[in-house]
Amino acid sequence: MMRSLRSRLVVGMLVGMSALLAAAGSTIYTVQRRELYRAFDDTLLGSANALALLLHPGPFGYRLDAEGLARLPAGQIREGALYQLWSDQPIDTMSRPRWVGRSPDDGGPRDEDGPPEEGRPPGDMGLPGEPGARPPEWDDRPPPKPESRGRGPRPDGFGRRPPLDERELWRGRETGELVVRSASLEGADLPRLEVPGDQPRFEMITLPSGVYGRAVGVRFRVLPVGPSVLWRPPAEVLAVVAADAGELEQHLRFLGVLLAATALGTMAFSVGVAWLAVSRGLRPLATVAQKIGGLDETGLKQRLADGGVPPEIEPVIRQLNGLLGRLDEAFDRERTLTADVAHELRTPVAEIRTIAEITLSRVRDAEEYRQALSEALEAIRTLQALIEKLLVLARLEAGQTQVELQPVPVVPVLGHLWRQVGQAAEARGVTFEDQCGADDVVCADQSLLEVVVSNALSNAAAYTPDGGRITVLGSRRAAGYELSLANTGCTLSRSEVPRVFDRFWRSEAARSRTGLNCGLGLTLVRRAMEAMGGQAEATVSHEGCFVLTLTFTAVDASARGCEPHDDA
């Protein structure tokens, strides 16, 4: 399989060009062949019609007008054409009709015509201009009138149809019909075509000479005239005219070779043109690739210019610029995270170092050492909590946390975790109100639910002023279970609320009030909720309360586990 885009485009263009040339060449060849054979067939049909017009009924039978055959203008009958006629009635083809009257002894005229020309069958006239064709001579003088009109015996030859000399008839005894042939057939036969009805039939045949030819068959009828209508039947005639098609086929072969050579030459020329055109068309891609190759992690703020490039490449450049923007933001977050982590770790480490240095500055009694160790232990616990939150957050963002959803009661979890984090808040007069139903159940992972509730309660307890109130309210919704935690004393503006889920983000007022709070609690809440298929949102109410809304997926009561389901 070709991997080069240039090769694919060139091959595709050549395949399309080949198909187009093949279709065009085939169409031209087919049309030319049809037109040439149509013209060829027209000449054959015209020759057959000309022969049909030369057959005339007479008072004594049917005759072929040899004189009219000789007088036909050039082109009326195709040059070199062969013809053959089949008829069920005798056809007189004498160049001079002989009237048989009185016998010589009675003074009647003698037959001055001699035997037929040597080497030519009786009645074989040939076409005009053909070697050996007899010149047409026709005597239209009427026969002598009879001398007696009585009923007695009449002299021989008077008052009856003169007999026809068998030497003047072309006969086909094998078919029982009379046959008229072209002189150039030399006694051979053309194929007798089966002609249905009055429509001509064209067919490729092999001529008696063995060459490839084409023939037309025409069937027509010659009606008698005069009194002979009463006793002479119509003549059914089948005319077959054929000609050598070798020259025509030679022209068609030359046309086919010419078309093939033209197609091959065009393809050879198209290869170079297509390669050059595709190379020039792909040049902007090489330019874009060169610019991308010059970027590194320190130059992500640069953007690729989309001016002067083809419209087809502009979407690619826009997407690349968007990708560069997202990468720049990701790198900024990583740099910010590194700085924030260092800052947050420095605070408890500095506190522990300060406690140790002050304690070791002089000799102290056991109680002072115990107090110093207690303060150091509290700083270590804060440091440990920060590290654990970072580890949990890293696992959640990397998708390495295994989530097992199950129905979990809400009230026991809230009560247990508030007792752990709410002692300091209650000492400041903060009131905790749990308004969840005793039977409320959420679909969650047990460990992640504890992470979510613990961080949410810790955040509320840390930012609720003295004498404030924390309210937890649970309610069932169509999409699942909704748990809302509201605390009074919020100082955030509405523009700052969306940033509460950013890592290590805290407002200036919050930093001064919360001391060691690191700003990862709500970030963990959102990541954990997303891992369980839920979502977390923050708002500020009109009463100045910070409201954290946690939405859990619905519980499937018919199963031991719980699965999300669509609301009807």
Side-chain angles (χ1 to χ4, degrees), residues 462-475:
Y463 291 104
T464 302
D466 297 346
R469 184 179 68 257
I470 300 175
T471 305
V472 181
L473 177 63
S475 59

Side-chain angles (χ1 to χ4, degrees), residues 326-401:
R326 292 190 294 272
L327 289 175
D328 185 32
E329 293 176 358
F331 274 89
D332 286 342
R333 285 195 300 269
E334 293 300 323
R335 286 189 288 266
T336 302
L337 174 63
T338 303
D340 291 339
V341 169
H343 176 74
E344 297 296 335
L345 292 176
R346 184 179 62 179
T347 301
V349 170
E351 184 178 357
I352 295 172
R353 178 179 176 179
T354 300
I355 294 173
E357 288 177 349
I358 293 176
T359 303
L360 295 175
S361 62
R362 61 181 177 84
V363 178
R364 301 178 184 275
D365 56 18
E367 184 63 26
E368 289 178 340
Y369 283 121
R370 186 178 294 108
Q371 182 66 28
L373 290 176
S374 297
E375 293 176 358
L377 181 60
E378 185 65 25
I380 291 173
R381 287 174 178 170
T382 302
L383 180 61
Q384 182 181 7
L386 173 61
I387 295 174
E388 288 179 353
K389 287 182 179 180
L390 286 173
L391 290 176
V392 173
L393 182 61
R395 294 192 186 100
L396 288 173
E397 291 181 344
Q400 298 177 354
T401 303

Side-chain angles (χ1 to χ4, degrees), residues 519-555:
L520 286 177
L522 294 184
T523 304
L524 274 175
V525 169
R526 169 166 281 186
R527 295 293 185 271
M529 289 298 298
E530 290 175 351
M532 293 186 294
Q535 59 183 2
E537 297 179 352
T539 57
V540 177
S541 66
H542 296 289
E543 294 81 9
C545 296
F546 179 82
V547 181
L548 178 65
T549 303
L550 307 175
T551 304
F552 297 86
T553 56
V555 177

Side-chain angles (χ1 to χ4, degrees), residues 369-557:
Y369 283 121
R370 186 178 294 108
Q371 182 66 28
L373 290 176
S374 297
E375 293 176 358
L377 181 60
E378 185 65 25
I380 291 173
R381 287 174 178 170
T382 302
L383 180 61
Q384 182 181 7
L386 173 61
I387 295 174
E388 288 179 353
K389 287 182 179 180
L390 286 173
L391 290 176
V392 173
L393 182 61
R395 294 192 186 100
L396 288 173
E397 291 181 344
Q400 298 177 354
T401 303
Q402 185 176 1
V403 179
E404 296 181 0
L405 300 179
Q406 57 184 343
V408 180
V410 176
V411 174
V413 175
L414 286 172
H416 170 67
L417 294 177
W418 175 251
R419 287 191 294 270
Q420 290 183 358
V421 302
Q423 295 179 0
E426 290 178 349
R428 295 186 293 108
V430 176
T431 305
F432 178 74
E433 296 181 6
D434 183 3
Q435 299 181 6
C436 296
D439 298 332
D440 287 358
V441 178
V442 296
C443 179
D445 180 89
Q446 180 71 39
S447 59
L448 290 181
L449 178 62
E450 292 180 357
V451 171
V452 169
V453 175
S454 175
N455 282 277
L457 291 176
S458 297
N459 183 79
Y463 291 104
T464 302
D466 297 346
R469 184 179 68 257
I470 300 175
T471 305
V472 181
L473 177 63
S475 59
R476 297 186 181 278
R477 303 295 184 197
Y481 186 84
E482 190 175 276
L483 184 66
S484 299
L485 290 86
N487 62 274
T488 60
C490 179
T491 60
L492 297 176
S493 64
R494 296 188 182 275
S495 61
E496 291 177 330
V497 171
R499 299 195 61 188
V500 298
F501 295 105
D502 294 344
R503 290 177 293 185
F504 298 108
W505 184 87
R506 286 176 294 175
S507 65
E508 295 299 328
R511 288 180 184 272
S512 63
R513 291 175 54 185
T514 58
L516 296 178
N517 194 290
C518 62
L520 286 177
L522 294 184
T523 304
L524 274 175
V525 169
R526 169 166 281 186
R527 295 293 185 271
M529 289 298 298
E530 290 175 351
M532 293 186 294
Q535 59 183 2
E537 297 179 352
T539 57
V540 177
S541 66
H542 296 289
E543 294 81 9
C545 296
F546 179 82
V547 181
L548 178 65
T549 303
L550 307 175
T551 304
F552 297 86
T553 56
V555 177
D556 186 359

Side-chain angles (χ1 to χ4, degrees), residues 118-196:
E118 185 177 357
R120 185 177 297 277
D124 202 349
M125 299 175 300
L127 294 175
E130 186 176 340
R134 296 198 305 271
E137 296 180 0
W138 193 268
D139 189 356
D140 293 332
R141 291 177 297 175
K145 295 182 179 180
E147 297 180 356
S148 173
R149 297 182 181 272
R151 294 182 179 271
R154 299 178 179 178
D156 186 23
F158 286 96
R160 56 187 175 87
R161 177 174 176 269
L164 297 175
D165 193 331
E166 290 186 359
R167 292 178 301 172
E168 307 303 329
L169 299 177
W170 294 303
R171 306 189 179 205
R173 295 302 183 187
E174 64 276 4
T175 62
E177 294 181 342
L178 298 176
V179 181
V180 178
R181 296 185 185 86
S182 174
S184 54
L185 283 174
E186 298 179 354
D189 287 324
L190 291 174
R192 183 169 181 174
L193 304 182
E194 295 295 333
V195 180

